[in-house]
Amino acid sequence: MEIRAGQVVFHCVEHGTGRPVLVLHGAGVDHREAEACFEPALGGVAGLRRVYPDLPGMGRTAAPGTLRSADDVVDALLRFADEVTAGAAYLLVGHSAGAYFAQAMAARRPERVAGLALICPLLPGVRDVPDHRVVAGSGEIGDDVFRSYFVIHTPEMLERYRRHVEPAAALVDEAALERIGERWALTPGHKAPYPGPTVVVAGRLDSTVGYAAALDLVAHYPHASLAVVDDAGHALPHEQPELLRALLADWLVRVERQASASRAYGKPSTRTDPS
């Protein structure tokens, strides 16, 4: 379906009913990759309405000329969230660049975000990025993009790439992404760190963003769990689906625990620590 949020008309798909979960994909793909990776983990959980938008300039969501920076994209996403959630608190999941945007959304509207999941997050200050290394398979199947994205080179992973990643390449508005990319750094926020239940998952073999910068997020988010997963790269959601499911299941338990405590004490759903 299509949802207008200001000047951006977002194409998205959704499944289920209940608390909204916004799932943001990375750069150069569209909602199909996020749906393929996260729907197996989230689809079996009752009471979740999973919403998968195409980000501006990708998939079937156009990026109007007014979008000229990452800050503009975040503004559009916040409007989109307002439209699809009707003011209700929502969960926020992001992979790669989607996690970069999700961080900013949670920082700007912490009272609206009931939980934050950052998977292989693109972060400022990326460092110590490892060289690409194949851990399974011959390393001789697929095209250059597949071989540089996945560290597990099996027919199963190649099929996932061809079904859920490769088709989106033809839909990318390269000019729009280049325009936005010229002002890719988000304006630093000055609010307190997002205080809600958070999970950060990084691939130890991620040759796109690495895992070292993700370690810093444990100190930044007061209620964050961190997992650095061996034998996984930037395509971790494809390569380690069962582990990702378990980590998200634990995160959802923590989200519900906080919501129950908030209802019991009549407090807002996003907690803060005493200072």
Side-chain angles (χ1 to χ4, degrees), residues 117-223:
L118 306 173
I119 315 301
C120 303
L122 171 64
L123 299 167
V126 166
R127 64 186 191 278
D128 301 329
V129 177
D131 293 334
H132 185 71
R133 179 165 62 89
V134 177
V135 299
S138 66
E140 297 177 355
I141 63 173
D143 60 18
D144 290 343
V145 175
F146 168 79
R147 289 193 292 269
S148 64
Y149 184 28
F150 285 73
V151 300
I152 297 178
H153 290 187
T154 61
E156 177 190 5
M157 291 299 110
L158 180 58
E159 175 63 18
R160 290 183 67 87
Y161 167 75
R162 287 176 171 168
R163 289 184 59 192
H164 307 302
V165 179
E166 188 177 40
L171 302 179
V172 172
D173 184 341
E174 297 288 356
L177 295 194
E178 182 177 353
R179 181 182 70 239
I180 294 168
E182 290 176 355
R183 298 173 61 192
W184 184 250
L186 289 162
T187 302
H190 300 288
K191 295 183 178 180
Y194 170 71
T198 303
V199 62
V200 181
V201 185
R204 190 173 184 89
L205 302 180
D206 190 331
S207 60
T208 301
V209 301
Y211 70 90
L215 302 180
D216 300 337
L217 297 181
V218 175
H220 181 72
Y221 292 113
H223 297 288

